[in-house]
Amino acid sequence: MKVKNQIILALDVENKDEAYKILDQTTPYLNTIKIGYPITLALGPQIIQQIKDDYNVQIIADFKVADIDATNEKIVNTTLNWGADSIIVHGFTGDDSVLAAKNMAEKNNKEIFLLTEMSHSGADRFLKPISEEIAQMGVDMGIKNYVAPATKIDRLAKIREIVGDDAFIISPGVGVQGGKIQDTLEYANAAIIGRSIYNSDNPQQTLEDLINMI
């Protein structure tokens, strides 16, 4: 995946007019949008294809898929058929669940991103102790795309060490959560940024400022 300006917009709003106003200001600079549950549940899964068609962008579905293998297959297949280019999948469910998601994505000629560790402090309790093992599992399975936190640079660096230089890492937590874009992009291929942009009085200017920091 090629991410323009190394920034992915996390579009976690729930109103279509608001979403399109933000996209109008940001998509001249960006080609990749991360869509999660807030906008999808509010507007329906058809919003994925609508945004993709209206703005000619790549869509990462941030559904953090975490179920048994058979259910993961269905979630991944349905989501990708709604127009997403890739989907984020939790790794803590184990290799059978992750493999089912990976195989289904590949059947659709698309990709998964394996979530190793999350950016909020609560993830330290349960995910942090196994995140390196999740990353290694992904390597052993031949997964090339990963999610690792911008708010914990030491963890991001460690996950990069495990998955290798050829892997593609996207990293949430820049901005409101405290992550710094320059530090993040030392280890990640792209930074995921949401509230700092979409809650800004001037999303375009905020995005331009972020790009100038890189």
Side-chain angles (χ1 to χ4, degrees), residues 170-181:
I170 60 177
S171 191
V174 169
V176 171
Q177 290 190 65
K180 306 298 182 185
I181 194 165

Side-chain angles (χ1 to χ4, degrees), residues 9-139:
L9 172 64
L11 192 64
D12 293 324
V13 299
E14 299 170 278
N15 177 276
K16 186 175 181 180
D17 289 341
E18 180 184 2
Y20 272 51
K21 183 178 179 181
I22 295 162
L23 290 166
D24 285 343
Q25 295 184 59
T26 57
T27 50
Y29 305 87
L30 305 178
N31 71 345
T32 309
I33 308 297
K34 183 173 76 70
I35 289 179
Y37 287 119
I39 192 169
T40 308
L41 293 176
L43 302 177
Q46 65 273 7
I47 192 63
I48 298 173
Q49 190 68 53
Q50 288 173 3
I51 290 174
K52 186 177 177 67
D53 291 343
D54 291 341
Y55 290 94
N56 191 30
V57 291
Q58 303 174 117
I59 302 290
I60 300 173
D62 185 10
F63 291 168
K64 296 183 177 69
V65 184
D67 216 310
I68 66 167
D69 50 359
T71 305
N72 273 9
E73 285 182 351
K74 294 173 183 177
I75 295 169
V76 170
N77 188 53
T78 300
T79 302
L80 297 179
N81 280 314
W82 277 110
D85 297 284
S86 58
I87 186 168
I88 294 174
V89 176
H90 263 302
F92 71 80
T93 52
D95 52 5
D96 54 348
S97 291
V98 173
L99 183 61
K102 177 178 181 287
N103 288 344
M104 183 55 70
E106 290 175 350
K107 185 176 179 180
N108 284 276
N109 294 314
K110 296 183 179 180
E111 302 175 305
I112 66 167
F113 279 84
L114 184 64
L115 177 54
T116 59
E117 187 173 337
M118 296 175 73
S119 56
H120 65 300
S121 60
D124 290 352
R125 183 174 181 183
F126 296 116
L127 270 183
K128 181 178 177 180
I130 61 168
S131 62
E132 294 176 27
E133 191 174 350
I134 291 171
Q136 186 60 55
M137 178 185 72
V139 172

